[in-house]
Amino acid sequence: MNYPKIGIRPVIDGRWGGVRESLEAQTMGMAEAAKELIERVLRYPDGTPAGCVISPTTIGGGAEANVCEDFFSGQNVSGTLTVTPCWCYGTETMDLNPNTIKAVWGFNGTERPGAVYLAAVMAAYAQRGLPAFSIYGQDVQDMDDHEIPEDVAEKILDFARGALAVGIMKNCSYVNIGSVSMGIAGSVAPVDFLQKYLGMRTEWVDMTEVLRRIELGIYDQEEYEKALAWVKENCREGMDINAGKKFAEIVTKSRYIPEDEQWEFVVKHAIIVRDILKGNPKLDQMGWHEEALGRNGLAGGFQGQRMWTDWLPNADFTEAILASSFDWTGRRTPIPFATENDTLNGISMMFGWLLTNKAPIFSDVRTYWSPEAVKRVTGKELTGRASAGVIHLINSGASCLDGSAGAKNEWGEGCMKEWWNMTEEDISACLKGTDWCRANYEYFRGGGFSSHFKTAAEMPVTMIRCNIVEGVGPTLQIIEGYTCVLPDEMHKILDERTDRTWPTTWFAPVTGIGAADSVYQVMAKWGANHAASVYGHVGNRLITLASMLRIPVAFHNVEPERIYRPHSFNGFGTSDLEGQDFRACAYYGPLYK
């Protein structure tokens, strides 16, 4: 696990002889308060509290700025938070490292002009071409007030959350197992985007590597036995839509793994794919030293269709279980893992996961159901949050099991949680809410099993998609909304008009904000056939992260007052925030040029 840190820079009025000495305690106190807030609230994906380091000295000028920079250079600092209660010398104290994400908190007090320094250093950052986030409380505080106001704390956490995500991605790998699935453009791994915008390597592993490891036994046999026993106890089989069908000879003669051996195959597949991404020290003990290292994968995807699925069991079990917050080892951090190796959707899953620490859902954006169409087909009317229409999010088995909404919050409502908050009851409920249907042999000649559930609670979620547009580059789409629970009879009629063996989430976007003026428009303007979704309304966090990476947001429904981007973006226009974002990102260019 990569553990980037937030470096906190306490800057101070450099005038000795009474001024500086009188401010030392207050300045360092702001730094310590910010550190306590970040480390108390935020965590890395493995559950470890987020880390901060404070400069060994307050910074009154260039010499001490250099001492701070030297210290930070050995601390894996991905973002710096400069704090001050007073006037300081702007260009002499600012963070000039082009490789860190920057923010400045200027104390809103009347005794010393912290706000004046904040304005001055923001101007300096804008002139020097270094985007920085401005943090300034709405209400004036007394000089001896050591509390961080709620609005300031929110901005500090939004900044730190995004800067840590940037640091976590850096130097990790996106692992493509296979290549392009069925001509899906998102499967074409965008090497330049991953390298220049995210700081990530792109790795490719041929799908035959999975077969090699199965055939040669390059997996932990003891873990395999444990996993298979867990699957037999917890993964109940659902419907078999192949029963009674007569298939063409090309389908029947293509199946290589017999039906009664397919669970064994897919369990090995899941273990091996995880090992390819993450490595496994047990393999080193078995004499497989290279394989034990893994690929330093933070996220990945599996091509599957069709060169694999035309004769071997599909990867639906692997995709669903890796992306979930638990498996046969118990609760554990999810691994964003994309169906059909849709790398751009895997990246979308990764963004959502890094900003929430909750399992990401992979879905097809399959169908918009208008109220009129639902009434025509079912004879019943949509109500509640679904009354303006719903989007059918469904996929061939890769949706994380957390998406069943089996976990419960303190009020007994279905929800999705950070993996470390998942209880045994939550895990059991997610498993009971999911069955595993045999794959449709017309689609998947080699068989396999698809996770099958319907999201059983109304939950706030955010739908995400990263796209690449020629002439623009990478863009992000972000739509907040709610999952909906349709009446059983209505759900059955609508759900069974497509493949009824797949997991379904009914999604109602929040409309009337920005370009999301209707549910239909969300569906019509979506950039691809896939989307990722994460629990909570976190569109503002995604916008902040996108601005750090210099990715413009092309379509969203986040209220303007929740949008938090670098202060210098205001210099690119203020009446059209979307145009401002595009112009600023185009000028600054990718983070890792």
Side-chain angles (χ1 to χ4, degrees), residues 181-452:
S181 174
M182 300 186 297
I184 294 173
S187 300
V188 182
V191 179
D192 284 352
F193 171 49
L194 281 155
Q195 175 188 326
K196 296 178 181 178
Y197 285 84
L198 311 184
M200 295 180 67
R201 293 178 180 274
T202 309
E203 296 270 334
W204 287 269
V205 178
D206 195 283
M207 291 185 291
T208 56
E209 173 63 5
V210 177
L211 287 178
R212 182 182 78 93
R213 295 195 187 199
I214 289 176
E215 291 299 315
L216 299 183
I218 309 175
Y219 55 88
D220 183 343
Q221 182 68 35
E222 184 178 342
E223 182 184 11
Y224 162 67
E225 297 293 345
K226 176 182 178 181
L228 184 60
W230 181 86
V231 164
K232 289 181 176 179
E233 180 180 354
N234 294 286
C235 298
R236 59 189 174 87
E237 289 194 24
M239 70 185 82
D240 180 359
I241 63 172
N242 306 294
K245 288 185 178 178
K246 185 176 181 179
F247 295 100
E249 182 185 6
I250 194 171
V251 174
T252 57
K253 72 180 181 181
S254 294
R255 199 163 313 113
Y256 183 70
I257 304 298
E259 274 83 349
D260 59 356
E261 297 177 16
Q262 292 205 351
W263 272 119
E264 287 83 352
F265 186 92
V266 300
V267 170
K268 292 175 185 176
H269 187 284
I271 292 172
I272 287 168
V273 167
R274 182 210 59 200
D275 288 352
I276 290 171
L277 267 70
K278 298 294 185 180
N280 187 343
K282 185 65 178 291
L283 302 183
D284 190 42
Q285 299 171 23
M286 297 165 58
W288 300 100
H289 309 297
E290 181 181 356
E291 291 81 355
L293 296 174
R295 299 278 179 154
N296 194 34
L298 189 65
F302 189 82
Q303 174 192 333
Q305 299 185 66
R306 287 184 46 207
M307 292 73 179
W308 181 276
T309 57
D310 272 5
W311 70 295
L312 293 168
N314 62 27
D316 288 6
F317 176 75
T318 294
E319 294 157 5
I321 208 68
L322 289 187
S324 299
S325 59
F326 58 88
D327 60 16
W328 49 87
T329 64
R331 57 187 185 179
R332 52 102 180 110
T333 185
I335 301 173
F337 199 76
T339 299
E340 295 159 351
N341 194 33
D342 185 344
T343 308
L344 290 176
N345 212 53
I347 290 168
S348 305
M349 296 170 76
M350 181 177 66
F351 287 169
W353 163 67
L354 286 173
L355 294 176
T356 65
N357 284 323
K358 295 170 185 172
I361 302 172
F362 185 112
S363 302
D364 283 359
V365 186
R366 182 60 67 98
T367 310
Y368 161 65
W369 280 99
S370 68
E372 296 77 14
V374 171
K375 181 69 178 295
R376 177 180 62 82
V377 170
T378 70
K380 300 182 182 299
E381 294 187 354
L382 292 169
T383 60
R385 294 196 185 275
S387 59
V390 289
I391 294 175
H392 194 179
L393 301 179
I394 185 172
N395 186 249
S396 56
S399 297
C400 62
L401 274 58
D402 306 59
S404 66
K408 298 295 186 290
N409 62 22
E410 58 189 307
W411 301 284
E413 300 164 334
C415 67
M416 297 172 70
K417 298 179 178 179
E418 300 88 349
W419 70 265
W420 56 82
N421 287 324
M422 291 289 285
T423 66
E424 289 299 323
E425 291 77 15
D426 292 331
I427 294 172
S428 178
C430 289
L431 288 165
K432 289 178 181 176
T434 306
D435 58 22
W436 297 85
C437 303
R438 284 198 178 271
N440 185 336
Y441 293 157
E442 293 172 350
Y443 292 159
F444 303 109
R445 297 173 187 173
F449 296 91
S450 294
S451 60
H452 172 246

Side-chain angles (χ1 to χ4, degrees), residues 466-487:
C466 184
N467 300 299
I468 292 181
V469 179
E470 175 66 20
V472 177
T475 64
L476 205 61
Q477 294 182 307
I478 302 162
I479 293 293
E480 297 178 342
Y482 293 86
T483 63
C484 298
V485 181
L486 304 187

Side-chain angles (χ1 to χ4, degrees), residues 63-78:
E64 289 155 331
N66 186 60
V67 170
C68 174
E69 179 60 33
D70 282 348
F71 174 64
F72 284 177
S73 66
Q75 297 291 325
N76 193 20
V77 168
S78 61

Side-chain angles (χ1 to χ4, degrees), residues 471-537:
V472 177
T475 64
L476 205 61
Q477 294 182 307
I478 302 162
I479 293 293
E480 297 178 342
Y482 293 86
T483 63
C484 298
V485 181
L486 304 187
D488 288 345
E489 184 179 349
M490 179 186 290
H491 164 81
K492 180 178 172 62
I493 293 171
L494 301 181
D495 196 51
E496 292 188 359
R497 288 174 69 99
T498 184
D499 194 304
R500 64 185 187 273
T501 67
W502 296 347
T504 279
T505 299
W506 298 107
F507 177 64
V510 173
T511 58
I513 303 172
D517 50 7
S518 69
V519 180
Y520 170 79
Q521 287 298 328
V522 171
M523 179 76 182
K525 294 176 181 177
W526 203 247
N529 55 309
H530 292 150
S533 303
V534 290
Y535 184 83
H537 286 168

